[in-house]
């Protein structure tokens, strides 16, 4: 695994997102599943229970892919990166409306954008030959 | 490959992604001809960033260089003549920075390509001059990941406030930070009205 940027990135991001998803439930007691205004994780990042579940699902997918093969990690990194990039764009347009079912705030956008760029960068840019057998 | 080169190899592409997002958000708040130009540039930057990341090198460097420089010059003239008076300054400056961050390394790539065209001897000599000792794959992978993470944070640090300052970002002000009392102690906490629906856009606590 230590030779594969995709597997390292997927494992690290996956572990962080699973942790963030679990910690999120500590600040969303009494918050509706799709409340547009949630609790603040670490006093900064707004989350609601659906946002926590999304973090857990994404973290789990990244973690499993990172622990399996280069091809899986590369695919999941690219898909999650593209989804986060889309969320980074769409998030600005839906925030402040009832469509903001993930209770997104600006620090969330920052984190999503940074994750999107890093995951998309490693997914598209690293291991273009997908050395599945050697990793 | 030298360590700094390995770490910064993807930065022009990441800058293109950030620039594309900011340009697209600027287009959403602009009208008329500027909207078309900004949207076109934004989509082009996003597409170029993704395709270049995929191919592992800056694609069409001469075209991208010419487009970036022309956009920067046109933008400068438009700002000087008041043609972009309705467009907020911070995102415009950020877009300019992103374009410059794309143009500079791409200019280097274009120069390398021109050297290749001059002949195999010239490019072989240049390769020898820039040759670096072979690096272990694990170290190379770590460097490339660290570079990517640093680049992503830098791009996001510039793109997020720029996006928040666009027309689209400003309409998205009261999201997520103004829940009811007791939910959290966010920046709007003490100054908030406790209703969770504080609409005041001029409240400094709303500035992103």
């Amino acid at each position: 695994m230590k030779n594969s940027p995709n597997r390292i990135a997927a494992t690290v991001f996956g572990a962080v997102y699973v942790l963030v998803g679990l910690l999120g439930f500590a600040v969303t007691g009494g918050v509706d599943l799709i409340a547009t205004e949630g609790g603040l994780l670490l006093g900064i990042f707004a989350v609601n229970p659906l946002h926590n579940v999304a973090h857990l699902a994404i973290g789990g997918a990244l973690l499993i892919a990172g622990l399996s093969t280069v091809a899986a990690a590369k695919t999941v990194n690219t898909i999650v990166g593209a989804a986060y990039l889309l969320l980074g764009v769409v998030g600005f347009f839906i925030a402040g409306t009832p469509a903001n079912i993930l209770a997104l705030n600006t620090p969330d956008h920052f984190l999503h954008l940074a994750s999107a760029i890093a995951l998309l960068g490693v997914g598209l840019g690293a291991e273009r030959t997908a050395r599945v057998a050697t990793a | 490959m030298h360590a700094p080169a390995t770490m910064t190899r993807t930065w022009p592409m990441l800058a293109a992604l950030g620039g594309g997002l900011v340009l697209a958000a600027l287009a959403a708040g602009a009208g008329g001809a500027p909207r078309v130009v900004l949207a076109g540039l934004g989509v082009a930057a996003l597409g170029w960033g993704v395709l270049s990341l995929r191919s592992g090198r800056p694609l069409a460097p001469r075209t991208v260089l010419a487009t970036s420089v022309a956009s920067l010059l046109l933008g400068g003239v438009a700002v000087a003549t008041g043609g972009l008076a309705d467009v907020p300054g911070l995102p415009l400056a950020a877009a300019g920075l992103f374009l410059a961050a794309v143009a500079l390394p791409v200019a280097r790539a274009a120069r390398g390509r021109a050297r290749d065209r001059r002949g195999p001897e010239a490019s072989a000599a240049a390769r020898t001059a820039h040759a670096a000792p072979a690096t272990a794959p694990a170290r190379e992978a770590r460097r490339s990941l660290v570079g990517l993470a640093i680049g992503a944070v830098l791009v996001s640090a510039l793109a997020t406030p720029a996006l928040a300052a666009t027309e689209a970002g400003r309409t998205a002000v009261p999201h997520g930070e103004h829940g009811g009392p007791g939910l959290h102690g966010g920046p709007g906490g003490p100054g908030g009205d406790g209703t969770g629906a504080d609409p005041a856009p001029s409240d400094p606590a709303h500035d992103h």
Side-chain angles (χ1 to χ4, degrees):
Chain A
M1 161 152 52
K2 64 181 181 179
N3 289 346
S4 165
N6 270 291
R7 290 186 65 188
I8 296 170
T11 308
V12 170
F13 273 82
V16 169
Y17 271 106
V18 165
L19 187 66
V20 163
L22 292 174
L23 287 176
F25 284 106
V27 296
T28 51
V31 178
D32 284 346
L33 178 69
I34 55 169
T36 55
E37 297 184 6
L40 287 185
L41 183 61
L42 302 177
I44 303 171
F45 304 103
V47 288
N48 64 12
L50 182 63
H51 200 148
N52 296 335
V53 171
H55 280 162
L56 282 175
I58 287 168
L62 285 168
L63 203 52
I64 291 167
L67 294 174
S68 48
T69 65
V70 173
K74 190 173 164 66
T75 305
V76 174
N77 284 343
T78 306
I79 290 171
V80 172
Y84 268 142
L85 194 65
L86 189 68
L87 187 67
V89 177
V90 174
F92 271 102
F93 291 87
I94 63 167
T97 74
N100 186 17
I101 57 171
L102 290 173
L104 299 168
N105 66 355
T106 302
D108 285 330
H109 293 318
F110 175 85
L111 204 63
H112 291 158
L113 202 53
S115 300
I117 291 171
L119 288 172
L120 211 52
V122 75
L124 289 173
E127 297 162 303
R128 281 177 295 280
T129 49
R131 297 163 297 166
V132 180
T134 59
Chain B
M1 193 181 279
H2 292 290
T6 305
M7 289 177 73
T8 59
R9 189 173 49 86
T10 54
W11 286 14
M13 294 78 148
L14 304 188
L17 293 180
L21 285 176
V22 174
L23 287 166
L26 279 174
R35 166 176 278 191
V36 177
V37 174
L38 289 168
L41 270 177
V43 171
L46 285 170
W48 181 84
V50 169
L51 292 176
S52 295
L53 269 175
R54 197 173 157 79
S55 73
R57 63 188 172 83
L59 295 173
R62 291 172 75 93
T63 310
V64 172
L65 180 61
T67 309
S68 304
V69 172
S71 305
L72 285 170
L73 288 176
L74 270 177
V77 170
V79 168
T81 57
L84 290 174
D86 296 337
V87 179
L90 172 65
L92 206 57
L97 267 178
F98 280 129
L99 281 177
V102 170
L104 290 174
V106 158
R108 208 173 152 203
R111 209 176 60 177
R113 196 174 272 195
R115 194 171 47 214
D116 284 349
R117 266 197 222 101
R118 277 205 301 272
E121 292 87 6
S123 68
R127 268 197 299 272
T128 309
H130 290 98
T135 318
R139 194 181 304 168
E140 189 90 353
R142 271 200 305 274
R143 278 182 189 159
S144 118
L145 262 184
V146 168
L148 200 64
I150 294 171
V153 169
L154 288 176
V155 168
S156 308
L158 184 58
T160 308
L163 286 170
T166 61
E167 192 65 32
R170 278 205 290 258
T171 59
V173 163
H175 50 291
E177 293 186 358
H178 304 279
L183 266 182
H184 54 72
D193 59 11
T195 62
D198 182 358
S202 58
D203 184 347
H206 287 76
D207 288 344
H208 295 291

